[in-house]
């Protein structure tokens, strides 16, 4: 598998080879590609005139990890009744 930085560096290399030199480039990202498009726009600001992001999802860090998500499935299933109950004040 590839890390985000490995793919991002490849994208920067390809962009540097094929991009127009006159600040007339448009970066378009869809889904996970939005992360790469924003990364590209951040590091090649002078070469990109427009940034188009389509269905990028929720704004959260790419290396997000939650201890809850790493818990065994049986532990997560134990939380379901608690989350489904209604709390009355």
């Amino acid at each position: 598998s590839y890390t985000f930085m490995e793919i991002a560096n490849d994208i920067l290399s390809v962009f540097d080879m094929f991009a127009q030199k006159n600040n007339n480039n448009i970066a378009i990202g869809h889904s996970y590609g939005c992360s790469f498009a924003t990364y590209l726009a951040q590091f090649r600001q002078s070469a990109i005139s427009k940034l188009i992001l389509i269905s990028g999802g929720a704004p959260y860090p790419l290396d997000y990890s939650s201890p809850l998500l790493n818990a065994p499935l049986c532990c997560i299933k134990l939380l379901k009744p608690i989350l489904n109950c209604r709390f009355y004040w």
Side-chain angles (χ1 to χ4, degrees), residues 17-72:
M17 274 197 299
F18 296 106
Q20 296 178 5
K21 305 298 181 205
N22 59 1
N23 188 19
N24 211 12
N25 299 289
I26 300 172
I28 301 173
H30 174 261
S31 190
Y32 188 46
C34 290
S35 300
F36 294 108
T38 54
Y39 183 86
L40 177 65
Q42 179 182 2
F43 288 96
R44 298 296 186 267
Q45 292 177 14
S46 62
I48 295 178
S49 62
K50 292 182 180 149
L51 177 63
I52 300 172
L53 306 174
I54 305 165
S55 297
Y60 59 87
L62 294 174
D63 59 351
Y64 177 78
S65 65
S66 168
L68 178 62
L69 296 177
N70 294 330

